[in-house]
Amino acid sequence: GAVVSQHPSRVICKSGTSVKIECRSLDFQATTMFWYRQFPKQSLMLMATSNEGSKATYEQGVEKDKFLINHASLTLSTLTVTSAHPEDSSFYICSARTGQGPYEQYFGPGTRLTVT
Amino acid sequence: GENVEQHPSTLSVQEGDSAVIKCTYSDSASNYFPWYKQELGKRPQLIIDIRSNVGEKKDQRIAVTLNKTAKHFSLHITETQPEDSAVYFCAASKTNDYKLSFGAGTTVTVRA
């Protein structure tokens, strides 16, 4: 149980275009989803916290107009990277809380974004 | 916000030896401390976690200790095997927001 999927697994886009990444909880309802970014050989950095039906909360230094997050249902959150630039190339990972156990988060497999 | 420091950044051990990774945290309100193993290009996998009301937890070859007073926690891997080679991350979280703050990671290499 507690499976999280992401789509696509990897995407290549041209500079200036927008890319949407989906995060789904497959067998549970996720009260909260988190979006992380991980650059090569670096740690995971939290970008934003997403609660179903409400606006996402962004971490300091993360541009909310550039990284649009929508959490329209209890099983789906989307991250849209708008006007992508090469410096946005990274590994984007989502996680989800079940709301049953108080702590554990379940991670998606990640999306490798390359902006050319 | 929470600041988690992790040491060492790299660790090379002989197969069968033990590996220890140490983390410190800054926010005394943090009360949940998970450890993750991440292989290249894959998602982080939870390997063990500890809550602030416990000082030590063990799961087969893996153990975690927590010193709340000193605000540090450690991962111990005994009888290391080549498949233990990966990047390990510590993290800290608290129940008011459940956000995970990660350490910088430790690349563990187990030499056969």
Side-chain angles (χ1 to χ4, degrees):
Chain A
V3 178
V4 177
S5 70
Q6 274 183 248
H7 178 80
S9 58
R10 56 181 70 226
V11 57
I12 300 172
C13 71
K14 293 189 176 181
S15 187
T17 62
S18 296
V19 174
K20 180 185 284 189
I21 301 169
E22 292 186 350
C23 176
R24 292 183 185 272
S25 56
L26 299 185
D27 53 1
F28 66 98
Q29 293 186 326
T31 55
T32 306
M33 289 184 170
F34 302 90
W35 287 96
Y36 296 87
R37 181 168 54 182
Q38 185 177 32
F39 292 110
K41 297 188 178 182
Q42 293 189 25
S43 188
L44 286 81
M45 296 299 295
L46 179 65
M47 299 175 67
T49 303
S50 170
N51 290 294
E52 184 263 341
S54 61
K55 290 184 178 180
T57 304
Y58 291 82
E59 295 300 298
Q60 192 172 4
V62 178
E63 300 174 58
K64 62 181 180 181
D65 294 331
K66 181 170 182 62
F67 299 100
L68 301 178
I69 292 172
N70 185 284
H71 194 158
S73 77
L74 283 171
T75 60
L76 174 64
S77 178
T78 60
L79 167 67
T80 301
V81 183
T82 62
S83 187
H85 292 286
E87 56 265 32
D88 298 323
S89 297
S90 187
F91 193 48
Y92 292 87
I93 309 175
C94 69
S95 71
R97 288 188 60 238
T98 65
Q100 293 180 354
Y103 299 101
E104 190 165 352
Q105 295 181 24
Y106 297 91
F107 285 87
T111 296
R112 175 74 58 193
L113 170 63
T114 303
V115 184
T116 62
Chain B
E2 174 66 278
N3 180 43
V4 179
E5 295 193 355
Q6 183 173 346
H7 298 281
S9 57
T10 62
L11 181 59
S12 180
V13 296
Q14 189 70 36
E15 182 177 2
D17 287 350
S18 295
V20 180
I21 303 170
K22 298 182 179 181
C23 289
T24 61
Y25 61 99
S26 61
D27 190 343
S28 57
S30 290
N31 55 5
Y32 175 62
F33 307 93
W35 286 88
Y36 294 91
K37 175 183 180 182
Q38 188 181 31
E39 297 177 351
L40 190 62
K42 300 290 181 64
R43 77 185 85 195
Q45 290 181 294
L46 178 69
I47 56 172
I48 196 167
D49 57 11
I50 192 166
R51 300 177 189 181
S52 60
N53 59 347
V54 176
E56 184 174 354
K57 184 177 178 180
K58 188 175 181 181
D59 183 4
Q60 300 184 337
R61 297 186 297 109
I62 295 173
V64 57
T65 59
L66 171 65
N67 183 326
K68 281 170 41 180
T69 303
K71 290 190 281 190
H72 67 71
F73 55 113
S74 300
L75 177 71
H76 303 253
I77 306 174
T78 59
E79 302 172 24
T80 53
Q81 302 167 1
E83 52 265 37
D84 294 329
S85 297
V87 180
Y88 291 80
F89 293 98
C90 62
S93 177
K94 48 185 182 283
T95 47
N96 67 342
D97 59 19
Y98 304 104
K99 296 184 198 179
L100 286 171
S101 296
F102 283 85
T106 298
T107 301
V108 173
T109 303
V110 180
R111 307 186 306 272

